[in-house]
Structure formats: structure tokens, C-alpha cells
């Protein structure tokens, strides 16, 4: 029994050491990426390519998600409000939850899956096929060439993407409120515009840059640290998606909490 | 000249290389023979500073590069081309782009010089007519030759091969080995060839080091392998497929 406990604590200790080591490694990796950020000028073509992949190609799935968000909130919240004879408040609830929370969160999760999977699998495949070693061997910094364009592209694209999601979410809410609750669209939009303060936009738009940095660095790091052949690429892809999504979930909460607390004094 | 001095390397608790000392002379073809998983690729990467040893030193032309940064390593690496086991070509670039990429990246050469250097390598490797092909559309032997062309693009004085014939058919293997020989005789290019294939060693190597269980157990001309009494070498000679 004692032996077993010892074995467990030993392997736990090993794991803990491993985690601490990777965290430190990840920190160094991130620092190197930030230090190399100037390379985005040199690799502007790669930045454009990545911006296309992460922006334009992500658009359809994001818009579909945004469409369902707005409608969903109207169905859930609008009917509740209608019961109390307060269906004119629907616009307010939709606006606050879409702009501050749900749109960044859902878009962030979608992007975590898309960008996370893509970066970690693509860079993982490059790692195991020694293409990353080849870059280094012939004098090109792989972080500048591969990580910086991905980081910069997503940083530039996430805000407009999430702004579009906000817009589509609100519009879909308006239509559903009209069809489902027979709420006049003018009233809906008036209450939307009434309730949204700069603080709400601040909360909503503080998220995409943070998500962009987190998702890119996490997924590029898991890609770069791939070992163990094709199975290893599978593992890093899982890690890339899971860690990126977890990051989005956690940061979404903290950013809302911290900014709202600060603003409310 | 490349020199490993008492180099040890461990991954976690596993010691891959134990106190390995080895000298690679210029203009000579040196083979490093060993079973798979013994640390052959690791040795090549140590020579380029792609991996740092746990202890010991790596010297290139009498300069200790063990603790060099990536920037400091670049001029050293330019002296040594590398051909990776799986070639490590960039699959979205054409053959010419694969060869010219690092020239454009790292040397400020005029465009006509870049074109000339790429053409020179295409010709030497017998790849004319395939300039605009993607790597995936070529045979294994041709991809290997593209990788060799890329490795020579900085005009190095030494070229490192990680299992150059692994996975190739006998005819392509022979072509690659002939190319290595030609590089040595025509432009005096030294080479390191790590391999687990005995016939490669006899085909091209001036000398051979045998790596086994983390250490060098033999280091001499290939013919002397037959005089060795080490059980691994005798069994390897009688059963070279292992
Ligand atoms: N990054 C790494 N982490 C842990 N072990 C590794 C790593 N790279 C290589 N190894 C191990 O080191 C040993 C030597 O690897 P390698 O040099 O690729 O062998 P070879 O090229 O001779 O087949 C192998 O057993 C391999 O599993
Ligand atoms: Mg190997």
C-alpha cells in the first residue's frame, strides 16, 4: 500500500516536473515569438496567406454560428420576457449577451478549433518531417517564418471577425424577434442601441486580441513540440484544440469579470 | 573539420550518447554505421548545433560551437549542407523554389547569381526539365537529389547525409552513392554519411565509425571491419539486414 502510494507520488512528481518544464518552455517560445514580431514585415506574404486562411476561410462557419446565437437568445430570453409583458426588453438582453459574451465566446471556440487544429497539425507534420530543422539548418528562424505570420494574421483578423459575428447575431435576433415575438424591429434596434455602452464594447472587443495571441501561440507551440511520428501529430492536434479552447473559455470569463469589476468601481 | 569531444546526450533518464569522441576530416567520406534508434540522426544534428549536447564539446574548424546561438551558428552551418532522411523539402514549393529559397532568405545575391546557382545544382543532380515540378510529383531518388542540390546551394565544404539510401530502390541508391563519390572527386566535398546499410559503407566511405549502445566501438577503414572481434560487428557482417 505504502509502495503504491510512493509510486503514485513519484509519478505525480514527474508529471508536475514535466508540466512546469513545458510551461517554462512555452513561455520562452512565446517570448521568442514576440521578439521576432518584426519579421512580419519580411514575411508579409505569409501574413497575407494566413490572414486569408484564418479570416476569409473561417467566415462561413462563424456567420452560421452567429446566426444561431442571436436567434437562440431571442427564443430563450424573448419568450421569458414576453411572459412578463416585457418583450420590448428583448433587444437589450440580446445586445448585452451577444456583444459581451456569447459572440466572442462562440467565435473564439470556433477559431480555437479551426486555427488550433490547423497550426498544431501543420507545424507538427513539419516538425516530424524535419522541415523545421531544415529551416534552422539553412539559416532561417522557424519562429519568424512560421509562428510570427500566424500570430500577426490572427491578431489582425479576430477583431473584424468577431465584430461581424456581433452584427450578424444582432440582426438575426431582430428578425427572429419580429417573426416569433411580433416585436417591431424599430423598438428592437432602439433598445439595442440604448443599452450598449462603451464598456460593453470594451468587454467584447478586449477578447479577440487575447484569444488570437493565446490560440496562435498555444497551437504553434504544440505543433513545434511534436515528437513520435504520425501518432505524435494526432496527439499535438488534440492538444492544440483542447488547450486553445480551454484558454478561450477561461479567458472569456476572466476578461468579463475583470473589466466589469473595474468599470463598476 | 568537425570534432566531437566527449559528447554525451541524454533525453530524460535515457542516455543516448555516452562520451562520444569523433573527428571528421575535410575532403573525406566518413560513414557512421549503427542500428536504428542508436542516435545516428542525433549525431548529425549535434554537428550542426541543431541539438545541444548534455556535456562535451562540438568543434567545427577548431571553433567550439557548443554554446553558440542560432545567429552565431549560421556562418558555421553555411559550411555544412545537410540532407535529411526524409529530405525535408517544402511541399508547397517547386523544385527551383526549394533550392533558391534559402539563397533568397539569407544571402544578398543578385537575381542572376541565384538563377545561376540553382541551374548549376539542377544540372549536377540531373534534374533539368523538372524545374517547376512539386516535390510530390517526383520519384524518391529524384527528391533525394533535390535535397542534395539544396544542401549544396551555399557551396559548403562538407555535406551531411542522414541515411541517404533508406527507402530507395537499388538503382536509385546506386545513383545517390555515385553522386556522393562524384562530389568528393570533382569538387573535393567531404561527407558524413550515417547509415544502417553496410553496402553503403563499402561503396563510398573512406573510413567508418560504428555506433553501438551509445558509444563508438570501431573507427577505421571499412576493410578492417572484417578483423573486428566485437560481437555486434561480427553479427552485423554476417547478417547485414539487421
Ligand atoms: N526529442 C526526443 N526526445 C526523446 N527521445 C528522443 C528524441 N529524439 C530522439 N530520441 C530518441 O533518441 C534515440 C536516437 O534517435 P535517433 O538519433 O533518431 O536514432 P537513429 O537516427 O540512429 O535511428 C531514439 O531512441 C529516439 O527515440
Ligand atoms: Mg535516424
Amino acid at each position: 500500500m505504502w509502495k503504491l502510494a510512493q509510486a503514485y507520488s513519484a509519478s505525480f512528481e514527474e508529471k508536475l516536473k514535466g508540466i512546469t518544464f513545458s510551461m517554462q518552455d512555452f513561455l520562452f517560445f512565446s517570448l521568442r515569438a514576440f521578439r521576432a514580431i518584426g519579421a512580419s514585415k519580411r514575411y508579409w506574404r505569409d501574413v497575407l496567406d494566413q490572414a486569408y486562411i484564418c479570416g476569409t476561410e473561417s467566415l462561413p462557419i462563424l456567420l452560421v454560428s452567429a446566426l444561431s446565437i442571436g436567434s437562440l437568445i431571442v427564443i430563450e430570453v424573448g419568450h421569458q420576457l414576453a411572459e412578463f409583458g416585457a418583450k420590448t426588453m428583448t433587444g437589450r438582453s440580446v445586445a448585452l449577451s451577444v456583444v459581451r459574451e456569447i459572440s466572442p465566446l462562440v467565435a473564439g471556440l470556433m477559431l480555437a478549433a479551426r486555427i488550433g487544429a490547423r497550426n498544431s497539425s501543420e507545424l507538427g507534420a513539419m516538425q516530424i518531417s524535419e522541415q523545421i530543422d531544415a529551416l534552422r539548418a539553412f539559416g532561417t528562424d522557424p519562429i519568424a517564418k512560421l509562428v510570427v505570420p500566424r500570430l500577426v494574421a490572427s491578431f489582425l483578423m479576430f477583431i473584424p471577425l468577431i465584430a461581424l459575428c456581433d452584427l450578424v447575431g444582432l440582426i438575426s435576433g431582430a428578425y427572429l424577434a419580429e417573426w416569433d415575438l411580433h416585436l417591431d424591429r424599430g423598438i428592437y434596434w432602439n433598445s439595442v442601441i440604448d443599452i450598449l455602452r462603451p464598456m460593453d464594447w470594451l468587454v467584447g472587443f478586449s477578447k479577440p486580441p487575447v484569444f488570437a495571441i493565446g490560440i496562435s501561440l498555444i497551437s504553434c507551440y504544440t505543433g513545434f513540440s511534436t515528437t513520435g511520428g504520425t501518432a505524435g501529430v494526432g496527439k499535438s492536434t488534440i492538444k492544440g484544440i483542447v488547450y486553445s479552447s480551454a484558454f478561450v473559455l477561461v479567458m472569456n470569463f476572466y476578461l468579463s469579470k475583470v473589466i466589469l469589476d473595474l468599470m463598476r468601481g | 573539420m568537425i570534432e566531437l569531444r566527449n559528447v554525451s546526450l541524454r533525453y530524460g533518464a535515457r542516455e543516448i550518447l555516452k562520451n562520444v569522441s569523433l573527428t571528421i576530416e575535410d575532403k573525406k567520406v566518413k560513414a557512421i554505421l549503427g542500428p536504428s534508434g542508436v542516435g545516428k540522426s542525433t549525431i548529425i544534428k549535434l554537428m550542426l548545433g541543431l541539438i545541444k549536447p548534455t556535456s562535451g564539446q562540438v568543434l567545427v574548424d577548431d571553433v567550439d560551437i557548443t554554446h553558440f546561438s542560432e545567429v552565431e551558428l549560421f556562418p558555421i552551418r553555411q559550411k555544412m549542407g545537410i540532407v535529411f532522411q526524409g529530405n525535408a523539402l517544402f511541399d508547397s514549393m517547386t523544385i527551383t523554389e526549394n533550392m533558391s529559397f534559402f539563397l533568397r532568405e539569407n544571402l544578398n545575391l543578385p537575381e542572376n547569381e541565384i538563377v545561376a546557382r540553382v541551374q548549376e545544382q539542377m544540372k549536377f543532380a540531373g534534374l533539368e526539365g523538372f524545374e517547376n515540378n512539386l516535390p510530390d510529383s517526383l520519384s524518391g531518388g529524384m527528391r533525394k537529389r533535390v535535397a542534395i542540390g539544396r544542401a549544396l546551394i551555399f557551396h559548403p565544404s562538407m555535406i551531411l547525409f542522414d541515411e541517404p539510401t533508406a527507402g530507395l530502390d537499388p538503382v536509385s541508391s546506386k545513383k545517390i552513392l555515385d553522386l556522393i563519390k562524384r562530389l568528393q572527386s570533382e569538387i573535393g566535398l567531404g561527407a558524413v554519411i550515417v547509415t544502417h546499410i553496410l553496402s553503403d559503407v563499402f561503396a563510398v566511405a573512406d573510413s567508418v565509425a560504428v555506433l553501438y549502445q551509445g558509444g563508438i566501438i570501431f573507427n577505421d577503414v571499412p576493410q578492417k571491419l572484417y578483423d573486428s572481434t566485437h560481437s555486434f560487428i561480427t553479427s552485423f557482417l554476417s547478417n547485414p539486414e539487421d
Side-chain angles (χ1 to χ4, degrees), chain B residues 75-119:
Chain B
I76 307 287
R77 287 172 177 164
Q78 265 187 295
K79 298 196 255 186
M80 296 184 278
I82 177 165
V83 179
F84 290 93
Q85 180 168 359
N87 302 321
L89 298 172
F90 302 113
D91 36 26
S92 59
M93 295 185 194
T94 66
I95 304 309
T96 346
E97 285 165 352
N98 260 291
M99 288 198 185
S100 60
F101 176 74
F102 290 112
L103 276 183
R104 282 184 220 284
E105 279 274 295
N106 300 313
L107 301 188
N108 252 331
L109 294 177
E111 187 59 27
N112 58 352
E113 169 73 16
I114 293 178
V115 173
R117 279 213 198 183
V118 170
Q119 263 172 0

Side-chain angles (χ1 to χ4, degrees), chain B residues 41 85 162-163:
Chain B
S41 304
Q85 180 168 359
D162 193 354
E163 315 226 8

Side-chain angles (χ1 to χ4, degrees), chain A residues 42-43 130 136 138-140, chain B residues 45 50 70 77 105-106:
Chain A
R42 178 162 183 203
Y43 298 117
E130 301 183 302
R136 291 175 61 208
F138 292 103
T140 294
Chain B
K45 288 178 187 174
L50 292 171
E70 291 284 300
R77 287 172 177 164
E105 279 274 295
N106 300 313

Side-chain angles (χ1 to χ4, degrees), chain A residues 239-250:
Chain A
K239 277 192 202 159
I241 300 177
V242 170
Y243 294 164
S244 299
S245 313
F247 177 85
V248 167
L249 283 166
V250 173

Side-chain angles (χ1 to χ4, degrees), chain A residues 4 22 25-26 52 64 79 124 128 130 134 147 153 168 177 189 220 224 241:
Chain A
L4 198 68
S22 326
D25 219 30
F26 173 68
Y52 180 79
V64 170
H79 281 278
I128 63 155
E130 301 183 302
V147 179
V168 171
W189 284 114
C220 288
F224 266 57
I241 300 177

Side-chain angles (χ1 to χ4, degrees), chain A residues 49-59 62 111 114-115 118 150 153-155 157-158 161:
Chain A
D49 282 349
Q50 293 302 325
Y52 180 79
I53 291 165
C54 126
T56 318
E57 289 184 355
S58 303
L59 211 49
L62 285 183
L111 289 166
R114 263 193 64 102
I115 315 280
R118 193 187 157 95
R150 285 168 167 78
S154 52
F155 190 80
M157 296 313 284
F158 274 26
L161 280 175

